[in-house]
């Protein structure tokens, strides 16, 4: 049950786009369309931003988008806003009825 | 709006036990799979356990297998996590979370802090 790999940090200026990667294996990210992304502000509960690789829950701005290529999934935040500054976590079904999370990426809006 | 409220956290000595509860409301609890996820102080998220709607399928992370037991009472709209043989490394905020469909967690509670002192 190894964690998915995310960069520890990412940054961008307001209005810019930033992409956060999430690398797994063919047994998790690459094997299922079950990648999801969560946003977590300090001392708050995580919030679902993307599910099933590309889908956005109701209420999530369309500035947030997801994609996947092989064993790597990505979250892109376009038109960065100050309130996007938060920690972001990816997750994926692992195939043995296990849910894996990435280590998290701290997004800084410069 | 879906509501999940955890309770039962606190300070416990290593080797001790604690039972967490999660009260669900404003959705059909009995039809959803549920999960526990934890987050150690300053660390990332770690999936702990899942239970399906009918309690027939239950799964655990290796780190808690044999020590933690998840259960639910659909009549009471409640989810539970019995934690035994607690270790310092179990110190974390524990969240209950609803499974939207297939291993994505669409609603989370506010979390309850468990501190295990060694």
């Amino acid at each position: 049950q190894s964690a998915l790999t995310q960069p520890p940090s990412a940054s961008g200026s307001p209005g810019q786009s930033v992409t956060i990667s999430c690398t797994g294996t063919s047994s998790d990210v690459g094997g299922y369309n079950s990648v999801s992304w969560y946003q977590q502000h300090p001392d708050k509960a995580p919030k679902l931003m993307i599910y099933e690789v590309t889908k956005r829950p109701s209420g999530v701005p369309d500035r947030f988008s997801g994609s996947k290529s092989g064993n790597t999934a990505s979250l892109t935040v376009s038109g960065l806003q100050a309130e996007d500054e938060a920690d972001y976590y990816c997750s994926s079904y692992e195939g043995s009825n296990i849910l894996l999370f990435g280590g998290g990426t701290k997004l800084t809006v410069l | 709006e879906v509501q999940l409220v955890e309770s039962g956290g606190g300070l416990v000595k290593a080797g001790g036990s604690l039972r967490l509860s999660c009260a669900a409301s404003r959705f059909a609890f009995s039809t959803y799979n549920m999960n526990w996820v934890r987050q150690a102080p300053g660390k990332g998220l770690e999936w702990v356990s899942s239970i399906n709607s009918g309690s027939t399928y239950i799964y655990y992370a290796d780190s808690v297998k044999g020590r933690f037991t998840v259960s639910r009472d659909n009549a009471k709209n409640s989810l539970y996590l019995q934690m035994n043989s607690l270790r310092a490394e179990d110190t974390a905020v524990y969240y209950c979370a609803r499974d939207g469909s297939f291993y994505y967690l669409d609603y989370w509670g506010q979390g309850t802090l468990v501190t295990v002192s060694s």
Side-chain angles (χ1 to χ4, degrees), chain A residues 1 32 34 36 38 40 43-48 50-52 89 91-93 96-103, chain B residues 35 37 39 43-47 50 59-63 65 95 101-111:
Chain A
Q1 297 177 2
Y32 305 91
S34 64
S36 50
Y38 302 88
Q40 187 180 35
D43 298 320
K44 297 293 186 183
K47 175 187 176 183
L48 178 67
I50 296 288
Y51 67 100
E52 293 176 356
Y89 294 90
S91 74
S92 175
Y93 177 66
S96 303
N97 298 296
I98 299 295
L99 182 62
L100 288 178
F101 282 98
Chain B
N35 293 261
V37 176
Q39 186 171 34
K43 302 296 184 182
L45 301 172
E46 179 189 16
W47 174 81
S50 68
Y59 305 103
Y60 299 98
D62 286 346
S63 57
K65 202 173 293 183
Y95 296 99
S101 175
F102 186 69
Y103 284 94
Y104 66 87
L105 308 180
D106 59 354
Y107 288 95
W108 298 61
Q110 86 289 348

Side-chain angles (χ1 to χ4, degrees), chain A residues 7-89:
Chain A
S9 63
S11 63
S13 299
Q16 288 186 332
S17 294
V18 64
T19 296
I20 299 170
S21 63
C22 171
T23 301
T25 69
S26 58
S27 296
D28 39 69
V29 173
Y32 305 91
N33 284 328
S34 64
V35 175
S36 50
W37 290 89
Y38 302 88
Q39 177 191 65
Q40 187 180 35
H41 288 109
D43 298 320
K44 297 293 186 183
K47 175 187 176 183
L48 178 67
M49 303 301 285
I50 296 288
Y51 67 100
E52 293 176 356
V53 182
T54 61
K55 298 177 181 178
R56 270 189 318 276
S58 174
V60 173
D62 60 6
R63 302 184 294 102
F64 291 85
S65 62
S67 63
K68 188 181 81 167
S69 177
N71 297 335
T72 299
S74 299
L75 172 72
T76 297
V77 186
S78 305
L80 270 175
Q81 298 182 6
E83 58 263 35
D84 299 333
E85 184 162 296
D87 293 327
Y88 291 84
Y89 294 90

